[in-house]
Amino acid sequence: MKSFRLIHFTDTHLTGDASATIRGVSSLPALRAVVADAQHRCHRPDGLLLTGDLVQDDPAGYALIRQVFGTSTVPVLCLAGNHDLPDHMRATLREAPFQVGGEAEFGRWLVVLLDTWVDHSAVGRIGEVQLARLRKTLLEHRNHHVLVCLHHHPIRMRSEWLDQVGLEDADEFLAIVRTHSNVRGVLWGHVHQSLDSFVSGVRFMASPATCAQFLPHSDEFAIDDRPPGYRVLELLPDGTIATEVIWLERYAQRGFAALQAVGPRL
């Protein structure tokens, strides 16, 4: 049986202005550099994951997402983040290779995409309807290994300001994960940093943004000096996940001290 390789890009924060910067990083050139690096390193991926904040409150940014990813020969699985506009996202990314939400099978692996978008809020919520659907999906696919993807973080990041804008119904979600042994991994964006941790045998992973990063374990909002990044995941036939975060060191941020004053707007 074969393994499947997915590449995770998140928090691209594009606008209709191709020259726009987000916290000192030109978001479109940084994204293009990240994608080019992934194409060089990761031959023949089986799918791409875009887990939210594709745009920075600007529906025109989705046209740039189409420019960057529209020629992909593999599925581009998308989720909304708190800066996205879901109706515009679905309208612009309604055709292949894009898929907004839902599920995707890769052999014995099932990728489940959960929408945590809440109108006019940086906080996330799955909601009872999706939680019920998740329970049903996990039961129906009990013979699949499952990777659950969402935008907001379901576990604490040990950052006081950031943990105030996480997943509201995290306890309910984690209870489902604990009671279904086919969940092998949980993957998210939103936090603009890397995390890789095992909780009760399940791998919990956050990936860095393709633009600016947040300083880990900071009680107050702060920008990190790490460069743009992305994550590669290898979904193995036995249900284990091999993964690596790739940082584009040549994109190391400048003016770090000045950027910390921008303010905690996710």
Side-chain angles (χ1 to χ4, degrees), residues 10-22:
T10 190
D11 297 273
T12 56
H13 289 278
L14 300 180
T15 71
D17 180 1
S19 63
T21 62
I22 299 296

Side-chain angles (χ1 to χ4, degrees), residues 62-93:
Y62 294 120
L64 296 180
I65 291 291
R66 287 195 63 88
Q67 284 184 24
V68 175
F69 296 105
T71 59
S72 173
T73 58
V74 298
V76 182
L77 309 178
C78 304
L79 284 170
N82 46 287
H83 280 291
D84 282 306
L85 302 102
D87 290 343
H88 291 279
M89 176 187 284
R90 285 188 289 268
T92 309
L93 307 181

Side-chain angles (χ1 to χ4, degrees), residues 148-168:
V148 181
C149 302
L150 61 169
H151 179 67
H152 292 80
H153 49 297
I155 61 175
R156 293 183 61 82
M157 298 297 298
R158 294 191 293 146
S159 175
E160 184 174 343
W161 76 271
L162 193 52
D163 286 333
Q164 294 176 10
V165 290
L167 189 65
E168 281 187 338

